[in-house]
Amino acid sequence: MASSQARILADYRPSSFTINTTQLTFELDDHQTRVTNVMHIERVDKDAPYLTLDGEHLSLDAISINDKPLAEASFQKVDNGLQISISPELNQLTLTIVTTIDPVNNTALEGLYKSGGAFCTQCEAEGFRRITYYLDRPDVMSTFTTKVIANKTMYPYLLANGNKIDQGNIGADKHFVVWHDPFPKPCYLFALVAGDFDLVTDQYQTASGKHVTLEIFVDKGNASKAHHAMESLKHSMKWDENTFGLEYDLDIYMIVAVDFFNMGAMENKGLNIFNSKFVLADHESATDTDYFNIEAVIAHEYFHNWTGNRVTCRDWFQLSLKEGLTVFRDQQFSADMNSAAVTRIENVSHLRAMQFPEDESPMAHPIRPEKVVEMNNFYTMTVYEKGAEVIRMIHTLLGEEKFRLGMDLYFKRFDGMAVTCDDFVDAMADASGIDLTQFKYWYSQSGTPILRVNESFNNATGELTISVSQINEPSEQQSVKHHLHIPIRIELITDHNSSAHLLALKEETQTWRFDGFEKKPVVAFLSNFSAPVKVHFEQPDEELIAIMKQAEDDFNRWDAGQTLLTRYITRLVKDDSYSLPVDIVTTYKYLLDSTLDPALKAVALKLPSFDEVSVNLEQVDPQKVIAAIKTVEAFIAHNLENELLEIYLGFADIPYANKGKDIAQRSLKNTCLYYLSKLSNHQLLLSRQYNHSDNMTDTLASLNASAMHNTGVFDNLMSGFEAKWQDTPLVMDKWFSLQAVADREDIFHVLATMEQHELFTLNNPNRARALIGAFSHRNPKHFYQESGKGYQFLAKHIKTLNKINPQIASRLLTPLIQYKRFNEHHKNLMLNALKEIAAIDDLSRDLKEKLDAALN
Ligand code: TRP
Ligand code: ZN
């Protein structure tokens, strides 16, 4: 039984022993892989009598110190590990451990497992202990030499971290390869892959002239789909040189795409392993969004080589040290490669929809958590996305140049080390001369701060006064919260111009004055979303409309529209007879007619999602929120019919191209299609677009619109789609998701049919997410049905997944543990579902931690 003891940040102690070198030999076998682990170990704490190694799901075959087998009495198995007594005079030793593991039955996909026909590993956060006994903690850094032995025909490629130093045959049908990674690293960055692949290769020359071989391994037959990933990798390498002066450090960079993977991808040193979803693309099978995400994830993992690998985390509480910083870096990269404004807008709406609710849930935690039971539960929106916002605030407070000085100092001080978030912030402060003491509370406080804004204008003096208060609600874990240091960008808009200002809020309430105005300027608050906060600012509708039309900052323009729409939706939630003002229609007509980037027009037209709306409400009545959103949607469709149709037809038959301009036009066109398909007279557009489409973006848009607005057409198109794509797993994931998000009364019948589909399996995380994740996150109307059937459906699958793959089970639990924001009826239904899950035998550590928090 897995230990469910919480670990506490304040209890951190350095390890009593270090491991200087690690030599691993893998004799690969489906059920009985033998791992021989030879470690050179040094005692650092002279008084430590025991060496305690982590290990789970291992069978121990042999153990020796300095080649002498250990006597039974000198070691013992303890809870999830092995305790070895080391005689006092032995301060340096060679410890050899032989274990056997069963990769095929490893459905948790942590440690060594099989994905399709290939062996692969996933060690972060604590998966290495499922491979061998080890000091499985990020501050123990060792060099690794890895010998992989396997059948030659089944596994022609044998890969591990670093550079290949030897290879050869063993007998008639086996071969081996030896890899050496010269950079000391924690074991969570270890990787091994063995399989038969198509190999796509390229070359990169670094700024200092070093040649790097680039290799991408994909399933046989998929080589033509690796081109975009390879281009993205080269762009990332160049960008990191230009932006941060950071070059790649080994002679080879390998990426392997696998179909069975719990997360997006993993930055193992020199050998990234990717979910195939973030590698494979061609325009027939992947959407514009897929292309964007591939570029972002390739960049993210590449950037980890410096922020994560060269400088790593001292302990897992510091996870945001590498993740927040690396997400910030990949967001900046994406903004440079694509529309910066659209990239920023999408980052923010993702944060609001996913991280804000997390901050209000029983699992709310600061970006640097203080208490962890299962580390896998802390790869969260908070650590990643809010973590990135915290880095972005440092960037805003320091400015581009000083931020770069801070990064330089960080690498100068800490290259090759395992450090803390405080170390990072100190480097930023020391390099810039800017005091970040108060700023550090962003690392220790959970919750979304609220900014309350008041303004007044003195007509006689022409002076504008803005006062801002910060509210940091106490939470269960933190009854007293400090005031935060919050950078606030604003824009003051007059009839003739607009001026930008950066305010630093440090007190509870502060006031700023601006003068020289003839009449009251309009305040566009929190430009570019300069802090991860909620804003309470009662601006008149007309001023929001002025911001939509005139602000310099594209985020502000979009955000003003969202605020206005949220206002209308909220009024409708309270009173469904509320009649919507036509201002929004006139404003949209103006914007659609302007020269604005079509991609920005598209995001402006997109209504706030169910989650974005409800995160601002209390006691959410989900069906009312959904009905209100649909009312606004229908209002826009009716009142903008001609404009939407004209735009749609203008872009309808442009042949596919993979350019920014074309992507933007497709995005706007497909937003128009979505609205138009709400109207009975435009139903023909759905199958027309499907039949004429020459790319997956348009195909999927027509299917999605029919899933929501015409299930007759939908069912018909979907059977053709299935016949065409049944052999392409990533496209079938889209097919399952479409089934799950459809708006139809017989949705539970459809879901039941899908569960029985021959291609459906809970063992593949992408497939499980495609059906169950899509239904619970992207079909609010039916997930939040009054009957509670949605919650029961989710609970049933979580119970099954508890045994198969606890990490995925735990991630899927998210909507249920957010029950507190709903009304009594739904709260009770969700609680019942949670209790039902909590009652099963053998509850995983992952689920138990969340259920304990939710049901306490
Ligand atoms: N470090 C990985 C990333 O951010 C995250 C990751 C990949 C991960 N696979 C995982 C975390 C499995 C926990 C478990 O790119
Ligand atoms: Zn990462």
Side-chain angles (χ1 to χ4, degrees):
M1 186 48 213
S3 143
S4 52
Q5 275 266 288
R7 288 169 284 174
I8 312 284
L9 167 58
D11 291 347
Y12 173 82
R13 297 289 177 277
S15 177
S16 310
F17 293 84
T18 56
I19 306 174
N20 296 321
T21 67
T22 306
Q23 280 171 275
L24 299 168
T25 302
F26 288 82
E27 296 161 75
L28 292 174
D29 180 84
D30 276 358
H31 292 286
Q32 294 205 303
T33 288
R34 245 163 81 94
V35 183
T36 305
N37 169 13
V38 183
M39 294 166 277
H40 288 286
I41 293 180
E42 218 177 291
R43 178 160 23 207
V44 272
D45 175 358
K46 300 292 172 230
D47 302 324
Y50 299 114
L51 167 63
T52 307
L53 301 176
D54 305 292
E56 288 175 20
H57 307 272
L58 300 172
S59 105
L60 178 64
D61 298 339
I63 177 163
S64 61
I65 288 181
N66 297 339
D67 289 331
K68 280 204 233 30
L70 276 194
E72 290 278 338
S74 54
F75 69 95
Q76 62 169 349
K77 289 199 180 157
V78 293
D79 200 15
N80 302 312
L82 199 59
Q83 194 183 58
I84 307 163
S85 44
I86 310 284
S87 54
E89 70 289 351
L90 205 57
N91 288 319
Q92 303 219 357
L93 55 137
T94 301
L95 176 63
T96 302
I97 294 181
V98 182
T99 48
T100 306
I101 50 182
D102 180 354
V104 165
N105 284 319
N106 181 356
T107 57
L109 315 183
E110 285 181 81
L112 179 71
Y113 64 93
K114 279 197 103 175
S115 170
F119 287 95
C120 65
T121 55
Q122 171 55 42
C123 296
E124 190 179 4
E126 297 176 327
F128 193 76
R129 62 186 65 185
R130 294 174 182 235
I131 292 175
T132 182
Y133 287 102
Y134 205 75
L135 289 172
D136 189 358
R137 44 187 288 170
D139 60 347
V140 171
M141 296 167 80
S142 164
T143 58
F144 283 74
T145 306
T146 308
K147 181 174 187 174
V148 190
I149 303 167
N151 180 285
K152 212 173 0 187
T153 36
M154 285 168 76
Y155 310 103
Y157 291 103
L158 305 177
L159 315 174
N161 317 82
N163 301 310
K164 194 189 274 192
I165 55 168
D166 194 12
Q167 65 189 96
N169 290 317
I170 299 177
D173 42 48
K174 284 189 177 167
H175 67 151
F176 74 91
V177 177
V178 182
W179 295 82
H180 176 71
D181 179 0
F183 292 95
K185 64 169 180 286
C187 63
Y188 83 86
L189 290 171
F190 170 81
L192 173 159
V193 173
D196 192 5
F197 300 99
D198 273 352
L199 170 58
V200 178
T201 59
D202 208 326
Q203 275 252 5
Y204 183 83
Q205 190 176 5
T206 69
S208 68
K210 185 184 166 93
H211 288 271
V212 183
T213 301
L214 310 178
E215 299 189 331
I216 301 184
F217 297 84
V218 297
D219 275 358
K220 290 243 157 218
N222 282 332
S224 65
K225 293 186 180 176
H227 180 72
H228 178 62
M230 187 64 90
E231 288 306 301
S232 302
L233 175 58
K234 289 187 284 180
H235 290 154
S236 309
M237 296 176 88
K238 187 102 223 127
W239 187 90
D240 220 12
E241 291 176 354
N242 293 341
T243 315
F244 290 109
L246 298 172
E247 280 189 24
Y248 187 60
D249 51 11
L250 283 164
D251 301 330
I252 183 167
Y253 193 88
M254 296 176 279
I255 290 174
V256 183
V258 300
D259 284 340
F260 284 63
F261 202 73
N262 281 346
M263 304 269 282
M266 182 62 212
E267 70 265 24
N268 319 300
K269 183 78 188 188
L271 177 55
N272 290 181
I273 300 179
F274 270 61
N275 187 325
S276 55
K277 173 182 162 66
F278 295 114
V279 174
L280 302 177
D282 61 22
H283 70 266
E284 268 135 36
S285 64
T287 63
D288 294 335
T289 307
D290 293 329
Y291 272 79
F292 182 97
N293 291 338
I294 288 168
E295 183 183 66
V297 178
I298 294 266
H300 180 97
E301 306 311 329
Y302 176 72
F303 296 156
H304 267 316
N305 191 55
W306 278 94
T307 51
N309 302 4
R310 289 288 288 257
V311 183
T312 195
C313 302
R314 186 193 71 174
D315 54 74
W316 289 119
F317 299 102
Q318 318 294 330
L319 179 61
S320 204
L321 172 80
K322 73 177 177 83
E323 295 304 345
L325 179 54
T326 304
V327 172
F328 171 72
R329 277 151 55 66
D330 84 56
Q331 289 180 351
Q332 294 295 82
F333 167 77
S334 292
D336 284 349
M337 296 291 127
N338 304 278
S339 157
V342 176
T343 301
R344 184 66 186 136
I345 286 165
E346 279 172 356
N347 292 158
V348 174
S349 81
H350 189 220
L351 182 86
R352 285 176 173 161
M354 312 279 285
Q355 196 277 326
F356 283 14
E358 186 168 280
D359 248 343
E360 279 164 39
S361 81
M363 282 295 286
H365 51 278
I367 64 167
R368 182 185 55 215
E370 269 149 25
K371 183 175 153 241
V372 167
V373 174
E374 170 51 60
M375 192 52 214
N376 286 329
N377 282 339
F378 289 84
Y379 288 76
T380 59
M381 291 298 300
T382 300
V383 167
Y384 276 64
E385 314 300 315
K386 186 181 175 183
E389 294 299 322
V390 170
I391 303 296
R392 184 179 295 276
M393 288 190 286
I394 297 179
H395 184 264
T396 301
L397 289 168
L398 270 60
E400 187 81 47
E401 269 173 40
K402 287 183 174 164
F403 186 83
R404 170 64 196 269
L405 292 177
M407 290 290 279
D408 291 351
L409 182 59
Y410 174 64
F411 293 119
K412 194 168 159 240
R413 279 187 186 166
F414 302 121
D415 187 13
M417 295 166 67
V419 305
T420 65
C421 297
D422 278 336
D423 290 329
F424 176 82
V425 180
D426 290 343
M428 285 287 158
D430 293 347
S432 66
I434 292 173
D435 183 2
L436 295 172
T437 317
Q438 185 188 359
F439 186 84
K440 284 185 178 171
Y441 289 122
W442 279 106
Y443 284 86
S444 57
Q445 288 185 182
S446 66
T448 311
I450 295 170
L451 298 186
R452 191 160 282 153
V453 188
N454 283 296
E455 57 173 353
S456 67
F457 185 67
N458 185 327
N459 275 306
T461 61
E463 187 181 68
L464 174 80
T465 307
I466 300 175
S467 88
V468 185
S469 303
Q470 54 173 310
I471 301 159
N472 298 290
E473 295 276 3
S475 57
E476 227 163 274
Q477 317 233 341
Q478 295 168 320
S479 53
V480 181
K481 288 205 161 133
H482 300 271
H483 305 139
L484 295 163
H485 181 177
I486 307 178
I488 303 171
R489 286 188 193 282
I490 61 165
E491 224 184 287
L492 301 180
I493 304 167
T494 67
D495 291 344
H496 329 286
N497 71 6
S498 161
S499 60
H501 307 267
L502 175 60
L503 318 177
L505 178 67
K506 295 176 130 182
E507 317 284 319
E508 178 169 9
T509 302
Q510 271 171 259
T511 300
W512 289 270
R513 288 170 221 288
F514 303 87
D515 52 23
F517 295 105
E518 284 164 23
K519 65 179 222 219
K520 183 189 169 303
V522 173
V523 180
F525 196 78
L526 208 68
S527 308
N528 206 35
F529 198 66
S530 61
V533 299
K534 291 183 185 173
V535 177
H536 290 184
F537 185 8
E538 294 305 318
Q539 269 178 309
D541 287 9
E542 311 81 69
E543 292 202 351
L544 290 173
I545 288 171
I547 297 170
M548 286 175 78
K549 291 179 173 175
Q550 295 173 48
E552 289 282 329
D553 182 83
D554 287 320
F555 168 81
N556 274 145
R557 298 181 70 172
W558 169 78
D559 195 39
Q562 296 288 297
T563 305
L564 196 57
L565 291 164
T566 305
R567 229 174 242 189
Y568 295 154
I569 293 166
T570 312
R571 285 177 202 154
L572 277 165
V573 169
K574 292 193 181 120
D575 170 13
D576 62 11
S577 66
Y578 169 70
S579 80
L580 288 161
V582 289
D583 316 17
I584 192 82
V585 172
T586 349
T587 310
Y588 276 138
K589 283 188 181 163
Y590 171 91
L591 292 179
L592 290 176
D593 202 35
S594 73
T595 56
L596 195 66
D597 172 4
L600 283 169
K601 292 180 182 176
V603 287
L605 277 174
K606 234 174 98 198
L607 299 189
S609 65
F610 172 77
D611 289 307
E612 285 166 280
V613 174
S614 38
V615 79
N616 293 305
L617 304 174
E618 269 157 41
Q619 295 286 307
V620 175
D621 181 337
Q623 294 304 325
K624 281 200 174 151
V625 172
I626 290 149
I629 294 174
K630 299 245 178 257
T631 304
V632 178
E633 232 169 54
F635 180 77
I636 290 172
H638 281 290
N639 288 287
L640 286 172
E641 180 180 356
N642 294 335
E643 289 75 8
L644 294 167
L645 187 62
E646 192 186 331
I647 296 170
Y648 180 80
L649 294 175
F651 294 146
D653 293 314
I654 300 176
Y656 175 86
N658 183 19
K659 296 267 166 37
K661 174 174 132 280
D662 301 85
I663 294 167
Q665 290 177 348
R666 273 194 291 280
S667 163
L668 180 55
K669 170 182 75 180
N670 287 321
T671 307
C672 295
L673 176 68
Y674 180 84
Y675 279 109
L676 290 166
S677 66
K678 289 189 82 85
L679 306 174
S680 55
N681 50 329
H682 295 303
Q683 296 304 299
L684 283 176
L685 294 179
L686 291 171
S687 41
R688 186 189 175 280
Q689 172 157 326
Y690 182 89
N691 291 323
H692 284 68
S693 170
D694 63 356
N695 66 85
M696 184 54 83
T697 303
D698 287 342
T699 302
L700 212 66
S702 61
L703 290 172
N704 187 59
S706 41
M708 304 315 287
H709 302 141
N710 190 330
T711 44
V713 169
F714 177 67
D715 287 338
N716 182 25
L717 299 180
M718 284 288 273
S719 54
F721 188 83
E722 180 187 8
K724 178 165 178 196
W725 293 107
Q726 54 188 326
D727 297 324
T728 311
L730 292 174
V731 180
M732 286 310 286
D733 288 336
K734 299 182 193 300
W735 184 83
F736 279 102
S737 288
L738 284 160
Q739 300 283 10
V741 302
D743 181 6
R744 57 199 304 163
E745 288 316 310
D746 60 349
I747 186 73
F748 289 102
H749 172 72
V750 171
L751 291 172
T753 314
M754 291 304 119
E755 294 167 52
Q756 297 307 314
H757 193 285
E758 58 174 357
L759 292 179
F760 185 73
T761 167
L762 288 174
N763 285 49
N764 182 311
N766 286 356
R767 199 48 56 83
R769 283 186 283 253
L771 191 72
I772 297 151
F775 173 68
S776 52
H777 284 285
R778 289 167 43 212
N779 195 343
K781 179 162 170 194
H782 296 288
F783 179 68
Y784 295 102
Q785 267 191 15
E786 295 296 304
S787 66
K789 276 189 189 169
Y791 313 143
Q792 288 302 319
F793 172 82
L794 178 57
K796 179 181 85 180
H797 288 298
I798 290 175
K799 286 193 272 183
T800 315
L801 274 164
N802 173 59
K803 282 217 175 63
I804 300 173
N805 188 329
Q807 219 178 314
I808 299 300
S810 178
R811 289 194 165 268
L812 288 171
L813 195 66
T814 302
L816 289 177
I817 64 167
Q818 293 177 356
Y819 66 91
K820 280 186 185 144
R821 37 192 198 112
F822 293 91
N823 66 17
E824 286 304 314
H825 176 72
H826 286 273
K827 226 180 264 182
N828 287 332
L829 290 169
M830 287 187 222
L831 274 168
N832 288 343
L834 290 171
K835 286 179 189 152
E836 216 175 277
I837 300 170
I840 61 177
D841 299 332
D842 277 331
L843 200 57
S844 63
R845 190 161 52 189
D846 313 56
L847 282 177
K848 187 165 186 307
E849 177 173 31
K850 290 189 178 176
L851 290 165
D852 283 348
L855 296 172
N856 72 13

